[in-house]
Amino acid sequence: MKQRFPAMFRWIEAAARGVTVLRYGRRIRCARAEAVVQGTVRGEAAVMRPLGLDDLDALHGFLAAQPEEHLRYFRPHGFDRVALRAVLGSGAFLNYGLFVGDRLAAYALLKVAPTGSAFIGLLVGPDHTGLGLGRFIVGYLYWQASKAGLRARSTISRDNPASLRSHEAVAKFEIVAELPNDYLLIEFPPGRPETPVLAAG
């Protein structure tokens, strides 16, 4: 529908965002109010926190600097400034950034559906891969979704073993469906996960 009827798809998407904000907006705001986690990465001060419109330049620069192959499994929305402004201002996206020092090192999000599903997305920059940050961020998003009373879900390619390992390390998930192109739709169990600890490298 997105490709064949773009105008209709945009209308449906806008309506879905409105329903999502009406149903879950207060819970989302409460979860984000407690979302700051401080720690260290390679001994340097680091913080995971919600992103807002003031972070547009940092997020745009971070995404523009990623090698194309690094974005292979990460296309949750457009990366131009107009698209990013809409995402950062949308009540249906919960956007977060991991800052190491004063530099954005990873970007994460929960895309919330009117049904109460919160779909996980994350991208760790090449300079910070291999430190276990993927596992930390998946756990962080699961924690935030749970605080908002949402079901944490993710679509993962079978060809992306690093992402599978990051999810498996957080909690035992259920495979909800097998999707085209060797993707899996998974869901974490409901619960009250503890605040994740940020200490990597």
Side-chain angles (χ1 to χ4, degrees):
M1 178 177 279
K2 185 174 183 178
Q3 281 75 33
R4 295 184 64 191
F5 306 104
M8 182 181 293
F9 180 82
R10 284 194 297 272
W11 185 87
I12 292 170
E13 199 172 41
R17 281 197 303 271
V19 172
T20 298
V21 171
L22 282 173
R23 291 190 70 186
Y24 302 107
R26 186 181 63 80
R27 290 193 229 169
I28 287 170
R29 288 191 295 274
C30 288
R32 282 171 58 92
E34 301 177 26
V36 176
V37 173
Q38 298 188 18
T40 59
V41 173
R42 290 183 179 139
E44 191 174 358
V47 61
M48 187 81 178
R49 64 167 177 80
L51 296 178
L53 288 171
D54 289 348
D55 298 300
L56 175 61
D57 289 342
L59 180 57
H60 182 260
F62 171 77
L63 292 171
Q66 302 307 307
E68 190 59 33
E69 66 180 40
H70 208 62
L71 301 172
R72 181 177 175 193
Y73 301 108
F74 187 76
R75 294 287 180 184
H77 51 67
F79 293 163
D80 61 87
R81 294 179 67 86
V82 172
L84 293 177
R85 183 180 294 278
V87 167
L88 291 172
S90 169
F93 280 90
L94 286 75
N95 309 95
Y96 307 92
L98 172 62
F99 291 83
V100 178
D102 60 356
R103 192 160 63 96
L104 184 60
Y107 169 53
L109 61 91
L110 291 167
K111 184 176 182 180
V112 184
T115 58
S117 294
F119 290 88
I120 288 171
L122 66 114
L123 180 67
V124 178
D127 292 345
H128 292 88
T129 57
L131 302 176
L133 288 172
R135 180 176 63 224
F136 162 76
I137 293 171
V138 171
Y140 176 92
L141 293 174
Y142 177 30
W143 169 68
Q144 276 286 286
S146 297
K147 287 187 80 67
L150 303 168
R151 297 189 313 277
R153 290 185 158 191
S154 189
T155 54
I156 311 172
S157 170
R158 291 184 187 272
D159 298 325
N160 189 358
S163 183
L164 278 168
R165 286 193 301 271
S166 293
H167 285 72
E168 288 168 344
V170 169
K172 184 172 176 57
F173 56 74
E174 174 189 354
I175 297 176
V176 177
E178 298 201 14
L179 305 174
N181 301 317
D182 282 336
Y183 274 81
L184 300 173
L185 173 61
I186 66 106
E187 181 174 315
F188 283 114
R192 295 178 178 268
E194 294 181 3
T195 306
V197 175
L198 175 53

